[in-house]
Amino acid sequence: MEDPKKIASLNMSQLIGGKVCEEFTPGYYGVCAIGGMLSAGTTHVVITPLDVLKVNMQVHPIKYSSISTCFTTLLREQGPSAFWRGWAGKFFGYGVQGACRFGLYEYFKKVYSNVLVDQNKSLIFFASSASAEVIANVALCPFEAIKVRVQAQPHFAKGLSDGFPRIYASEGLHGFYRGLIPLLGRNIPFSIVMFSTFEHTVNFLYKKLIQKRREDCSRTQQLSVTCLAGYAAGSVGSIISNPADNIVASLNNKKTSSLKQAVKKIGFLNLFTRSLPIRIMLVGPVVTLQWLFYDSIKILSGLPTSGHVIKDIEEDEKAQSHSR
């Protein structure tokens, strides 16, 4: 008869870190979608106050000329609760987006890897992230439309429950998708740059700095790589997508009625510079936390952390020994 303590230990190892499914199966993509949903939804709720500052600075640039001015004015005029306006839209909207963004990215990466066998890996990363992001943004757009108005127009609505019917009654379905094109213009380049930067950074860290196979690294080391790659990905992505982010805020608050008008009113240079510092403060840490939560869920499910490593160290060593 087996030792009960040993049996209990085995059961615990299956529950914590035990492999719940094989890679590239429906179960695997389900874990990725759940991980993306939880990581994106929770992290976006946490930074709601910063997002409120960002949106108000974009929509009312004259009144809120700096982060400190925006903070003190909102606090004085609307009270502390103003900084949590739109939290529900962020949690549900970005939760759905995260599920599609991460889950479908993994799916499309496998599909395109099988189709584009001998192609450059960057092309696969670009195509996979862009394909996933289109679907993710169609799901996000209605939530984003409500969130931006709730944050920048205090008397518009309290949240999702009264925001949805109000927009639908006055504008129909068009009201929810008014900002879809600039949203795609913001998030597709961001997603392409983010995933590609993440993948290449992970590869660089394992091959050039750590110089060990991923499987030979501890969980702490693997998650440290995830965090470094995530911060690099978020910071670079926020710079690339800042112009479209300003346009989305302008259109959703009816400051302008068309893309051309928005660009003209904001100004070409302001598209790149307006609210950029706070956006880097916002996006870099958020993306880092998202990747950390996402990969933690994968590890707890018995799956490897994210990122493609082109060749492991042993293969490099074998290649060098054969060449001698």
Side-chain angles (χ1 to χ4, degrees), residues 74-121:
L74 283 174
L75 184 62
R76 184 178 65 253
E77 293 180 354
Q78 300 179 35
S81 62
F83 297 104
W84 293 100
R85 295 181 68 87
W87 72 267
K90 290 180 72 63
F91 178 74
F92 292 105
Y94 284 95
V96 171
Q97 186 207 36
C100 296
R101 172 182 279 177
F102 286 92
L104 291 176
Y105 172 75
E106 298 283 0
Y107 172 75
F108 283 121
K109 187 168 72 168
K110 181 62 176 175
V111 170
Y112 292 138
S113 294
N114 292 336
V115 175
L116 306 171
V117 179
D118 296 321
Q119 296 297 319
N120 186 286
K121 285 295 179 182

mmCIF file of all heavy atoms in Angstrom, residues 74-121:
data_model
loop_
_atom_site.group_PDB
_atom_site.id
_atom_site.type_symbol
_atom_site.label_atom_id
_atom_site.label_comp_id
_atom_site.label_asym_id
_atom_site.label_seq_id
_atom_site.Cartn_x
_atom_site.Cartn_y
_atom_site.Cartn_z
ATOM 1 N N LEU A 74 -9.815 67.981 -11.293
ATOM 2 C CA LEU A 74 -10.825 66.922 -11.173
ATOM 3 C C LEU A 74 -11.153 66.639 -9.709
ATOM 4 O O LEU A 74 -12.319 66.455 -9.352
ATOM 5 C CB LEU A 74 -10.328 65.643 -11.848
ATOM 6 C CG LEU A 74 -10.380 65.575 -13.379
ATOM 7 C CD1 LEU A 74 -9.723 64.305 -13.878
ATOM 8 C CD2 LEU A 74 -11.813 65.661 -13.876
ATOM 9 N N LEU A 75 -10.128 66.613 -8.877
ATOM 10 C CA LEU A 75 -10.341 66.355 -7.457
ATOM 11 C C LEU A 75 -11.192 67.450 -6.818
ATOM 12 O O LEU A 75 -12.104 67.173 -6.031
ATOM 13 C CB LEU A 75 -8.997 66.257 -6.739
ATOM 14 C CG LEU A 75 -9.032 65.900 -5.249
ATOM 15 C CD1 LEU A 75 -9.645 64.505 -5.056
ATOM 16 C CD2 LEU A 75 -7.636 65.952 -4.654
ATOM 17 N N ARG A 76 -10.928 68.698 -7.195
ATOM 18 C CA ARG A 76 -11.664 69.836 -6.625
ATOM 19 C C ARG A 76 -13.098 69.894 -7.147
ATOM 20 O O ARG A 76 -14.040 70.148 -6.386
ATOM 21 C CB ARG A 76 -10.941 71.140 -6.961
ATOM 22 C CG ARG A 76 -11.575 72.384 -6.328
ATOM 23 C CD ARG A 76 -10.811 73.659 -6.639
ATOM 24 N NE ARG A 76 -10.819 73.995 -8.056
ATOM 25 C CZ ARG A 76 -9.780 73.872 -8.866
ATOM 26 N NH1 ARG A 76 -8.629 73.401 -8.410
ATOM 27 N NH2 ARG A 76 -9.875 74.202 -10.138
ATOM 28 N N GLU A 77 -13.284 69.657 -8.446
ATOM 29 C CA GLU A 77 -14.602 69.835 -9.058
ATOM 30 C C GLU A 77 -15.511 68.602 -8.919
ATOM 31 O O GLU A 77 -16.730 68.748 -8.810
ATOM 32 C CB GLU A 77 -14.446 70.185 -10.538
ATOM 33 C CG GLU A 77 -13.811 71.553 -10.778
ATOM 34 C CD GLU A 77 -13.672 71.882 -12.248
ATOM 35 O OE1 GLU A 77 -13.973 70.998 -13.107
ATOM 36 O OE2 GLU A 77 -13.278 73.014 -12.570
ATOM 37 N N GLN A 78 -14.927 67.416 -8.967
ATOM 38 C CA GLN A 78 -15.763 66.209 -9.006
ATOM 39 C C GLN A 78 -15.529 65.239 -7.844
ATOM 40 O O GLN A 78 -16.284 64.282 -7.677
ATOM 41 C CB GLN A 78 -15.533 65.473 -10.334
ATOM 42 C CG GLN A 78 -15.871 66.314 -11.558
ATOM 43 C CD GLN A 78 -15.596 65.561 -12.851
ATOM 44 O OE1 GLN A 78 -15.780 64.350 -12.945
ATOM 45 N NE2 GLN A 78 -15.141 66.277 -13.872
ATOM 46 N N GLY A 79 -14.481 65.473 -7.062
ATOM 47 C CA GLY A 79 -14.217 64.614 -5.916
ATOM 48 C C GLY A 79 -13.429 63.368 -6.281
ATOM 49 O O GLY A 79 -13.209 63.081 -7.470
ATOM 50 N N PRO A 80 -13.008 62.585 -5.270
ATOM 51 C CA PRO A 80 -12.180 61.390 -5.511
ATOM 52 C C PRO A 80 -12.838 60.339 -6.403
ATOM 53 O O PRO A 80 -12.153 59.601 -7.110
ATOM 54 C CB PRO A 80 -11.969 60.829 -4.100
ATOM 55 C CG PRO A 80 -12.199 61.979 -3.177
ATOM 56 C CD PRO A 80 -13.243 62.831 -3.843
ATOM 57 N N SER A 81 -14.167 60.268 -6.366
ATOM 58 C CA SER A 81 -14.859 59.235 -7.158
ATOM 59 C C SER A 81 -14.665 59.431 -8.658
ATOM 60 O O SER A 81 -14.829 58.482 -9.436
ATOM 61 C CB SER A 81 -16.349 59.228 -6.832
ATOM 62 O OG SER A 81 -16.945 60.477 -7.171
ATOM 63 N N ALA A 82 -14.317 60.651 -9.069
ATOM 64 C CA ALA A 82 -14.121 60.929 -10.495
ATOM 65 C C ALA A 82 -13.016 60.069 -11.095
ATOM 66 O O ALA A 82 -13.061 59.720 -12.280
ATOM 67 C CB ALA A 82 -13.785 62.404 -10.699
ATOM 68 N N PHE A 83 -12.044 59.708 -10.285
ATOM 69 C CA PHE A 83 -10.893 58.953 -10.788
ATOM 70 C C PHE A 83 -11.203 57.473 -11.024
ATOM 71 O O PHE A 83 -10.355 56.738 -11.551
ATOM 72 C CB PHE A 83 -9.713 59.098 -9.818
ATOM 73 C CG PHE A 83 -9.230 60.513 -9.680
ATOM 74 C CD1 PHE A 83 -9.540 61.264 -8.555
ATOM 75 C CD2 PHE A 83 -8.499 61.112 -10.689
ATOM 76 C CE1 PHE A 83 -9.109 62.571 -8.432
ATOM 77 C CE2 PHE A 83 -8.064 62.418 -10.583
ATOM 78 C CZ PHE A 83 -8.365 63.159 -9.442
ATOM 79 N N TRP A 84 -12.393 57.033 -10.619
ATOM 80 C CA TRP A 84 -12.776 55.643 -10.851
ATOM 81 C C TRP A 84 -13.934 55.520 -11.834
ATOM 82 O O TRP A 84 -14.502 54.447 -11.996
ATOM 83 C CB TRP A 84 -13.123 54.962 -9.521
ATOM 84 C CG TRP A 84 -11.918 54.816 -8.655
ATOM 85 C CD1 TRP A 84 -11.543 55.591 -7.605
ATOM 86 C CD2 TRP A 84 -10.873 53.847 -8.825
ATOM 87 N NE1 TRP A 84 -10.342 55.170 -7.103
ATOM 88 C CE2 TRP A 84 -9.909 54.096 -7.819
ATOM 89 C CE3 TRP A 84 -10.662 52.784 -9.714
ATOM 90 C CZ2 TRP A 84 -8.744 53.330 -7.694
ATOM 91 C CZ3 TRP A 84 -9.510 52.025 -9.584
ATOM 92 C CH2 TRP A 84 -8.568 52.306 -8.588
ATOM 93 N N ARG A 85 -14.230 56.630 -12.503
ATOM 94 C CA ARG A 85 -15.299 56.591 -13.507
ATOM 95 C C ARG A 85 -14.868 55.716 -14.684
ATOM 96 O O ARG A 85 -13.750 55.796 -15.159
ATOM 97 C CB ARG A 85 -15.630 57.995 -14.010
ATOM 98 C CG ARG A 85 -16.214 58.914 -12.939
ATOM 99 C CD ARG A 85 -16.547 60.284 -13.511
ATOM 100 N NE ARG A 85 -17.658 60.208 -14.443
ATOM 101 C CZ ARG A 85 -18.939 60.292 -14.104
ATOM 102 N NH1 ARG A 85 -19.264 60.453 -12.841
ATOM 103 N NH2 ARG A 85 -19.876 60.238 -15.015
ATOM 104 N N GLY A 86 -15.761 54.860 -15.132
ATOM 105 C CA GLY A 86 -15.469 54.002 -16.285
ATOM 106 C C GLY A 86 -14.766 52.702 -15.956
ATOM 107 O O GLY A 86 -14.354 51.970 -16.856
ATOM 108 N N TRP A 87 -14.672 52.370 -14.655
ATOM 109 C CA TRP A 87 -13.943 51.145 -14.288
ATOM 110 C C TRP A 87 -14.613 49.882 -14.838
ATOM 111 O O TRP A 87 -13.935 48.931 -15.247
ATOM 112 C CB TRP A 87 -13.792 51.035 -12.767
ATOM 113 C CG TRP A 87 -15.080 50.708 -12.045
ATOM 114 C CD1 TRP A 87 -15.955 51.583 -11.509
ATOM 115 C CD2 TRP A 87 -15.624 49.396 -11.824
ATOM 116 N NE1 TRP A 87 -17.028 50.911 -10.951
ATOM 117 C CE2 TRP A 87 -16.847 49.569 -11.132
ATOM 118 C CE3 TRP A 87 -15.199 48.095 -12.122
ATOM 119 C CZ2 TRP A 87 -17.644 48.487 -10.745
ATOM 120 C CZ3 TRP A 87 -15.993 47.023 -11.740
ATOM 121 C CH2 TRP A 87 -17.200 47.229 -11.056
ATOM 122 N N ALA A 88 -15.939 49.862 -14.862
ATOM 123 C CA ALA A 88 -16.642 48.667 -15.353
ATOM 124 C C ALA A 88 -16.397 48.463 -16.850
ATOM 125 O O ALA A 88 -16.211 47.333 -17.312
ATOM 126 C CB ALA A 88 -18.144 48.779 -15.072
ATOM 127 N N GLY A 89 -16.402 49.576 -17.600
ATOM 128 C CA GLY A 89 -16.118 49.488 -19.028
ATOM 129 C C GLY A 89 -14.718 48.952 -19.284
ATOM 130 O O GLY A 89 -14.484 48.183 -20.225
ATOM 131 N N LYS A 90 -13.783 49.345 -18.426
ATOM 132 C CA LYS A 90 -12.416 48.858 -18.570
ATOM 133 C C LYS A 90 -12.315 47.372 -18.224
ATOM 134 O O LYS A 90 -11.660 46.604 -18.939
ATOM 135 C CB LYS A 90 -11.467 49.683 -17.682
ATOM 136 C CG LYS A 90 -11.266 51.110 -18.157
ATOM 137 C CD LYS A 90 -10.339 51.880 -17.251
ATOM 138 C CE LYS A 90 -8.903 51.421 -17.391
ATOM 139 N NZ LYS A 90 -8.341 51.642 -18.735
ATOM 140 N N PHE A 91 -12.967 46.964 -17.146
ATOM 141 C CA PHE A 91 -12.858 45.566 -16.714
ATOM 142 C C PHE A 91 -13.470 44.616 -17.741
ATOM 143 O O PHE A 91 -12.825 43.652 -18.175
ATOM 144 C CB PHE A 91 -13.539 45.374 -15.364
ATOM 145 C CG PHE A 91 -13.503 43.953 -14.874
ATOM 146 C CD1 PHE A 91 -12.321 43.407 -14.390
ATOM 147 C CD2 PHE A 91 -14.633 43.147 -14.917
ATOM 148 C CE1 PHE A 91 -12.267 42.082 -13.946
ATOM 149 C CE2 PHE A 91 -14.586 41.839 -14.482
ATOM 150 C CZ PHE A 91 -13.405 41.302 -13.989
ATOM 151 N N PHE A 92 -14.705 44.888 -18.141
ATOM 152 C CA PHE A 92 -15.379 43.979 -19.077
ATOM 153 C C PHE A 92 -14.862 44.155 -20.507
ATOM 154 O O PHE A 92 -14.642 43.169 -21.218
ATOM 155 C CB PHE A 92 -16.893 44.196 -19.019
ATOM 156 C CG PHE A 92 -17.510 43.758 -17.729
ATOM 157 C CD1 PHE A 92 -17.915 44.688 -16.791
ATOM 158 C CD2 PHE A 92 -17.669 42.410 -17.439
ATOM 159 C CE1 PHE A 92 -18.487 44.285 -15.573
ATOM 160 C CE2 PHE A 92 -18.228 41.999 -16.230
ATOM 161 C CZ PHE A 92 -18.633 42.939 -15.293
ATOM 162 N N GLY A 93 -14.679 45.408 -20.918
ATOM 163 C CA GLY A 93 -14.226 45.668 -22.284
ATOM 164 C C GLY A 93 -12.836 45.125 -22.550
ATOM 165 O O GLY A 93 -12.612 44.389 -23.519
ATOM 166 N N TYR A 94 -11.909 45.479 -21.675
ATOM 167 C CA TYR A 94 -10.539 45.024 -21.883
ATOM 168 C C TYR A 94 -10.350 43.564 -21.495
ATOM 169 O O TYR A 94 -9.404 42.918 -21.942
ATOM 170 C CB TYR A 94 -9.564 45.936 -21.133
ATOM 171 C CG TYR A 94 -9.385 47.254 -21.851
ATOM 172 C CD1 TYR A 94 -10.145 48.368 -21.503
ATOM 173 C CD2 TYR A 94 -8.490 47.381 -22.911
ATOM 174 C CE1 TYR A 94 -10.015 49.568 -22.176
ATOM 175 C CE2 TYR A 94 -8.346 48.575 -23.592
ATOM 176 C CZ TYR A 94 -9.115 49.665 -23.219
ATOM 177 O OH TYR A 94 -8.983 50.851 -23.908
ATOM 178 N N GLY A 95 -11.262 43.038 -20.663
ATOM 179 C CA GLY A 95 -11.243 41.607 -20.390
ATOM 180 C C GLY A 95 -11.569 40.814 -21.646
ATOM 181 O O GLY A 95 -10.877 39.845 -21.990
ATOM 182 N N VAL A 96 -12.618 41.232 -22.355
ATOM 183 C CA VAL A 96 -12.992 40.575 -23.619
ATOM 184 C C VAL A 96 -11.889 40.754 -24.653
ATOM 185 O O VAL A 96 -11.522 39.816 -25.368
ATOM 186 C CB VAL A 96 -14.327 41.157 -24.148
ATOM 187 C CG1 VAL A 96 -14.606 40.646 -25.550
ATOM 188 C CG2 VAL A 96 -15.472 40.779 -23.221
ATOM 189 N N GLN A 97 -11.351 41.973 -24.716
ATOM 190 C CA GLN A 97 -10.266 42.214 -25.666
ATOM 191 C C GLN A 97 -9.050 41.342 -25.354
ATOM 192 O O GLN A 97 -8.427 40.775 -26.251
ATOM 193 C CB GLN A 97 -9.853 43.691 -25.640
ATOM 194 C CG GLN A 97 -8.819 44.031 -26.711
ATOM 195 C CD GLN A 97 -7.951 45.213 -26.326
ATOM 196 O OE1 GLN A 97 -7.602 45.410 -25.164
ATOM 197 N NE2 GLN A 97 -7.587 46.018 -27.313
ATOM 198 N N GLY A 98 -8.717 41.235 -24.069
ATOM 199 C CA GLY A 98 -7.567 40.423 -23.670
ATOM 200 C C GLY A 98 -7.735 38.958 -24.012
ATOM 201 O O GLY A 98 -6.783 38.290 -24.439
ATOM 202 N N ALA A 99 -8.947 38.446 -23.826
ATOM 203 C CA ALA A 99 -9.215 37.051 -24.165
ATOM 204 C C ALA A 99 -8.981 36.804 -25.651
ATOM 205 O O ALA A 99 -8.346 35.817 -26.046
ATOM 206 C CB ALA A 99 -10.653 36.694 -23.786
ATOM 207 N N CYS A 100 -9.485 37.702 -26.481
ATOM 208 C CA CYS A 100 -9.312 37.569 -27.934
ATOM 209 C C CYS A 100 -7.861 37.836 -28.342
ATOM 210 O O CYS A 100 -7.296 37.106 -29.175
ATOM 211 C CB CYS A 100 -10.233 38.542 -28.673
ATOM 212 S SG CYS A 100 -11.988 38.223 -28.442
ATOM 213 N N ARG A 101 -7.267 38.876 -27.763
ATOM 214 C CA ARG A 101 -5.905 39.267 -28.150
ATOM 215 C C ARG A 101 -4.899 38.150 -27.867
ATOM 216 O O ARG A 101 -4.128 37.767 -28.742
ATOM 217 C CB ARG A 101 -5.489 40.547 -27.411
ATOM 218 C CG ARG A 101 -4.027 40.922 -27.604
ATOM 219 C CD ARG A 101 -3.677 42.168 -26.802
ATOM 220 N NE ARG A 101 -4.095 43.382 -27.484
ATOM 221 C CZ ARG A 101 -3.961 44.605 -26.965
ATOM 222 N NH1 ARG A 101 -3.448 44.745 -25.754
ATOM 223 N NH2 ARG A 101 -4.340 45.666 -27.645
ATOM 224 N N PHE A 102 -4.910 37.612 -26.661
ATOM 225 C CA PHE A 102 -3.922 36.596 -26.300
ATOM 226 C C PHE A 102 -4.306 35.208 -26.820
ATOM 227 O O PHE A 102 -3.455 34.485 -27.352
ATOM 228 C CB PHE A 102 -3.730 36.559 -24.780
ATOM 229 C CG PHE A 102 -2.948 37.722 -24.242
ATOM 230 C CD1 PHE A 102 -3.588 38.867 -23.803
ATOM 231 C CD2 PHE A 102 -1.565 37.674 -24.180
ATOM 232 C CE1 PHE A 102 -2.864 39.938 -23.299
ATOM 233 C CE2 PHE A 102 -0.828 38.736 -23.690
ATOM 234 C CZ PHE A 102 -1.477 39.878 -23.244
ATOM 235 N N GLY A 103 -5.567 34.842 -26.637
ATOM 236 C CA GLY A 103 -5.999 33.520 -27.067
ATOM 237 C C GLY A 103 -5.893 33.331 -28.570
ATOM 238 O O GLY A 103 -5.359 32.319 -29.052
ATOM 239 N N LEU A 104 -6.391 34.311 -29.322
ATOM 240 C CA LEU A 104 -6.363 34.196 -30.780
ATOM 241 C C LEU A 104 -4.964 34.404 -31.348
ATOM 242 O O LEU A 104 -4.628 33.862 -32.410
ATOM 243 C CB LEU A 104 -7.353 35.188 -31.411
ATOM 244 C CG LEU A 104 -8.828 34.858 -31.176
ATOM 245 C CD1 LEU A 104 -9.719 35.954 -31.758
ATOM 246 C CD2 LEU A 104 -9.192 33.511 -31.797
ATOM 247 N N TYR A 105 -4.144 35.182 -30.663
ATOM 248 C CA TYR A 105 -2.753 35.334 -31.117
ATOM 249 C C TYR A 105 -2.050 33.980 -31.113
ATOM 250 O O TYR A 105 -1.357 33.624 -32.071
ATOM 251 C CB TYR A 105 -1.999 36.327 -30.232
ATOM 252 C CG TYR A 105 -0.510 36.381 -30.540
ATOM 253 C CD1 TYR A 105 -0.047 37.024 -31.690
ATOM 254 C CD2 TYR A 105 0.425 35.770 -29.706
ATOM 255 C CE1 TYR A 105 1.313 37.063 -31.990
ATOM 256 C CE2 TYR A 105 1.773 35.801 -30.001
ATOM 257 C CZ TYR A 105 2.218 36.453 -31.139
ATOM 258 O OH TYR A 105 3.557 36.487 -31.437
ATOM 259 N N GLU A 106 -2.220 33.239 -30.027
ATOM 260 C CA GLU A 106 -1.604 31.911 -29.941
ATOM 261 C C GLU A 106 -2.139 30.994 -31.046
ATOM 262 O O GLU A 106 -1.388 30.218 -31.651
ATOM 263 C CB GLU A 106 -1.874 31.285 -28.571
ATOM 264 C CG GLU A 106 -1.293 32.054 -27.396
ATOM 265 C CD GLU A 106 0.204 31.858 -27.236
ATOM 266 O OE1 GLU A 106 0.799 31.119 -28.039
ATOM 267 O OE2 GLU A 106 0.779 32.446 -26.297
ATOM 268 N N TYR A 107 -3.444 31.099 -31.297
ATOM 269 C CA TYR A 107 -4.063 30.256 -32.333
ATOM 270 C C TYR A 107 -3.530 30.618 -33.722
ATOM 271 O O TYR A 107 -3.088 29.740 -34.483
ATOM 272 C CB TYR A 107 -5.581 30.423 -32.297
ATOM 273 C CG TYR A 107 -6.294 29.758 -33.445
ATOM 274 C CD1 TYR A 107 -6.450 28.378 -33.489
ATOM 275 C CD2 TYR A 107 -6.784 30.514 -34.515
ATOM 276 C CE1 TYR A 107 -7.088 27.758 -34.562
ATOM 277 C CE2 TYR A 107 -7.422 29.906 -35.581
ATOM 278 C CZ TYR A 107 -7.569 28.530 -35.606
ATOM 279 O OH TYR A 107 -8.192 27.920 -36.665
ATOM 280 N N PHE A 108 -3.567 31.928 -34.042
ATOM 281 C CA PHE A 108 -3.120 32.349 -35.378
ATOM 282 C C PHE A 108 -1.617 32.119 -35.562
ATOM 283 O O PHE A 108 -1.170 31.835 -36.681
ATOM 284 C CB PHE A 108 -3.463 33.824 -35.614
ATOM 285 C CG PHE A 108 -4.913 34.059 -35.938
ATOM 286 C CD1 PHE A 108 -5.691 34.893 -35.147
ATOM 287 C CD2 PHE A 108 -5.508 33.458 -37.029
ATOM 288 C CE1 PHE A 108 -7.030 35.119 -35.433
ATOM 289 C CE2 PHE A 108 -6.850 33.669 -37.334
ATOM 290 C CZ PHE A 108 -7.618 34.502 -36.538
ATOM 291 N N LYS A 109 -0.842 32.235 -34.494
ATOM 292 C CA LYS A 109 0.607 32.005 -34.604
ATOM 293 C C LYS A 109 0.881 30.560 -35.014
ATOM 294 O O LYS A 109 1.769 30.297 -35.831
ATOM 295 C CB LYS A 109 1.302 32.341 -33.288
ATOM 296 C CG LYS A 109 2.829 32.283 -33.391
ATOM 297 C CD LYS A 109 3.522 32.893 -32.181
ATOM 298 C CE LYS A 109 3.385 32.035 -30.954
ATOM 299 N NZ LYS A 109 4.302 32.487 -29.863
ATOM 300 N N LYS A 110 0.110 29.638 -34.463
ATOM 301 C CA LYS A 110 0.272 28.230 -34.837
ATOM 302 C C LYS A 110 -0.173 27.998 -36.281
ATOM 303 O O LYS A 110 0.504 27.303 -37.054
ATOM 304 C CB LYS A 110 -0.551 27.349 -33.886
ATOM 305 C CG LYS A 110 -0.446 25.850 -34.174
ATOM 306 C CD LYS A 110 0.975 25.345 -34.014
ATOM 307 C CE LYS A 110 1.041 23.837 -34.203
ATOM 308 N NZ LYS A 110 2.453 23.344 -34.179
ATOM 309 N N VAL A 111 -1.308 28.596 -36.651
ATOM 310 C CA VAL A 111 -1.827 28.438 -38.023
ATOM 311 C C VAL A 111 -0.841 28.992 -39.043
ATOM 312 O O VAL A 111 -0.478 28.313 -40.025
ATOM 313 C CB VAL A 111 -3.190 29.151 -38.164
ATOM 314 C CG1 VAL A 111 -3.615 29.193 -39.642
ATOM 315 C CG2 VAL A 111 -4.255 28.453 -37.338
ATOM 316 N N TYR A 112 -0.373 30.229 -38.824
ATOM 317 C CA TYR A 112 0.542 30.857 -39.784
ATOM 318 C C TYR A 112 1.919 30.192 -39.785
ATOM 319 O O TYR A 112 2.603 30.168 -40.814
ATOM 320 C CB TYR A 112 0.682 32.348 -39.485
ATOM 321 C CG TYR A 112 -0.588 33.137 -39.752
ATOM 322 C CD1 TYR A 112 -1.014 34.129 -38.881
ATOM 323 C CD2 TYR A 112 -1.371 32.883 -40.874
ATOM 324 C CE1 TYR A 112 -2.181 34.855 -39.109
ATOM 325 C CE2 TYR A 112 -2.535 33.594 -41.117
ATOM 326 C CZ TYR A 112 -2.939 34.579 -40.227
ATOM 327 O OH TYR A 112 -4.099 35.290 -40.466
ATOM 328 N N SER A 113 2.335 29.639 -38.644
ATOM 329 C CA SER A 113 3.612 28.919 -38.602
ATOM 330 C C SER A 113 3.564 27.678 -39.474
ATOM 331 O O SER A 113 4.565 27.295 -40.098
ATOM 332 C CB SER A 113 3.950 28.521 -37.162
ATOM 333 O OG SER A 113 4.189 29.654 -36.359
ATOM 334 N N ASN A 114 2.390 27.034 -39.535
ATOM 335 C CA ASN A 114 2.221 25.850 -40.376
ATOM 336 C C ASN A 114 2.126 26.209 -41.855
ATOM 337 O O ASN A 114 2.548 25.434 -42.718
ATOM 338 C CB ASN A 114 0.972 25.076 -39.958
ATOM 339 C CG ASN A 114 1.121 24.443 -38.581
ATOM 340 O OD1 ASN A 114 2.231 24.182 -38.126
ATOM 341 N ND2 ASN A 114 0.001 24.200 -37.916
ATOM 342 N N VAL A 115 1.557 27.380 -42.150
ATOM 343 C CA VAL A 115 1.382 27.806 -43.543
ATOM 344 C C VAL A 115 2.654 28.453 -44.090
ATOM 345 O O VAL A 115 3.104 28.150 -45.195
ATOM 346 C CB VAL A 115 0.187 28.786 -43.662
ATOM 347 C CG1 VAL A 115 0.085 29.327 -45.085
ATOM 348 C CG2 VAL A 115 -1.113 28.094 -43.264
ATOM 349 N N LEU A 116 3.215 29.372 -43.302
ATOM 350 C CA LEU A 116 4.411 30.110 -43.725
ATOM 351 C C LEU A 116 5.656 29.450 -43.122
ATOM 352 O O LEU A 116 6.373 30.044 -42.304
ATOM 353 C CB LEU A 116 4.306 31.570 -43.281
ATOM 354 C CG LEU A 116 3.025 32.307 -43.712
ATOM 355 C CD1 LEU A 116 2.931 33.665 -43.037
ATOM 356 C CD2 LEU A 116 2.989 32.468 -45.234
ATOM 357 N N VAL A 117 5.931 28.244 -43.553
ATOM 358 C CA VAL A 117 6.956 27.408 -42.900
ATOM 359 C C VAL A 117 8.339 28.045 -42.939
ATOM 360 O O VAL A 117 9.032 28.114 -41.921
ATOM 361 C CB VAL A 117 7.003 26.012 -43.550
ATOM 362 C CG1 VAL A 117 8.076 25.157 -42.895
ATOM 363 C CG2 VAL A 117 5.647 25.330 -43.445
ATOM 364 N N ASP A 118 8.758 28.508 -44.082
ATOM 365 C CA ASP A 118 10.138 29.003 -44.230
ATOM 366 C C ASP A 118 10.229 30.521 -44.185
ATOM 367 O O ASP A 118 11.245 31.099 -44.570
ATOM 368 C CB ASP A 118 10.728 28.500 -45.560
ATOM 369 C CG ASP A 118 10.837 26.979 -45.584
ATOM 370 O OD1 ASP A 118 11.180 26.414 -44.535
ATOM 371 O OD2 ASP A 118 10.559 26.386 -46.641
ATOM 372 N N GLN A 119 9.174 31.175 -43.735
ATOM 373 C CA GLN A 119 9.156 32.637 -43.705
ATOM 374 C C GLN A 119 9.800 33.178 -42.431
ATOM 375 O O GLN A 119 9.931 32.480 -41.421
ATOM 376 C CB GLN A 119 7.718 33.150 -43.811
ATOM 377 C CG GLN A 119 7.036 32.811 -45.121
ATOM 378 C CD GLN A 119 7.719 33.440 -46.312
ATOM 379 O OE1 GLN A 119 8.142 34.591 -46.273
ATOM 380 N NE2 GLN A 119 7.843 32.670 -47.397
ATOM 381 N N ASN A 120 10.185 34.443 -42.501
ATOM 382 C CA ASN A 120 10.744 35.130 -41.342
ATOM 383 C C ASN A 120 9.740 35.119 -40.191
ATOM 384 O O ASN A 120 8.551 35.348 -40.396
ATOM 385 C CB ASN A 120 11.085 36.577 -41.744
ATOM 386 C CG ASN A 120 11.810 37.315 -40.635
ATOM 387 O OD1 ASN A 120 11.207 37.691 -39.634
ATOM 388 N ND2 ASN A 120 13.094 37.520 -40.823
ATOM 389 N N LYS A 121 10.233 34.864 -38.984
ATOM 390 C CA LYS A 121 9.342 34.777 -37.820
ATOM 391 C C LYS A 121 8.609 36.090 -37.563
ATOM 392 O O LYS A 121 7.467 36.089 -37.083
ATOM 393 C CB LYS A 121 10.140 34.375 -36.571
ATOM 394 C CG LYS A 121 10.540 32.912 -36.533
ATOM 395 C CD LYS A 121 9.304 32.019 -36.444
ATOM 396 C CE LYS A 121 9.681 30.552 -36.423
ATOM 397 N NZ LYS A 121 8.482 29.680 -36.382
#
